[in-house]
Amino acid sequence: SSINWSVHGYLHCLFPPKQLGSRSVFTSSKPDTANPNWLRVGLAFGTSVFLWGLVNKQHSADVQEYKVRNGLE
């Protein structure tokens, strides 16, 4: 039990508890869910579609190479 408290005390020295009522460094205000940032939404979905396209293209190339190497085509 004393080991647990010493580790607990050590962790409090490394990572002191947040002050009550303090603001996060990374968030200045709450996001407005009624009015999304459509540029960011579009970039997120566009990036996702682009990456899935690359994965699908690479997969098709890999399957084709597998078939050629194993005499399946």
Side-chain angles (χ1 to χ4, degrees):
S1 180
S2 64
I3 294 173
N4 187 20
W5 281 108
S6 63
V7 170
H8 182 73
Y10 181 70
L11 288 175
H12 267 267
C13 288
L14 289 177
F15 306 104
K18 289 185 177 181
Q19 299 294 326
L20 292 175
S22 65
R23 263 196 130 122
S24 171
V25 177
F26 304 105
T27 306
S28 61
S29 63
K30 291 184 178 180
D32 183 11
T33 56
N35 186 21
N37 184 341
W38 290 111
L39 177 62
R40 291 183 70 184
V41 171
L43 285 173
F45 279 114
T47 302
S48 180
V49 167
F50 175 74
L51 290 174
W52 273 110
L54 284 178
V55 167
N56 192 31
K57 180 181 174 192
Q58 186 63 51
H59 173 70
S60 297
D62 290 344
V63 168
Q64 184 64 30
E65 182 179 348
Y66 173 82
K67 288 180 179 180
V68 169
R69 285 186 180 207
N70 292 304
L72 300 174
E73 199 166 280

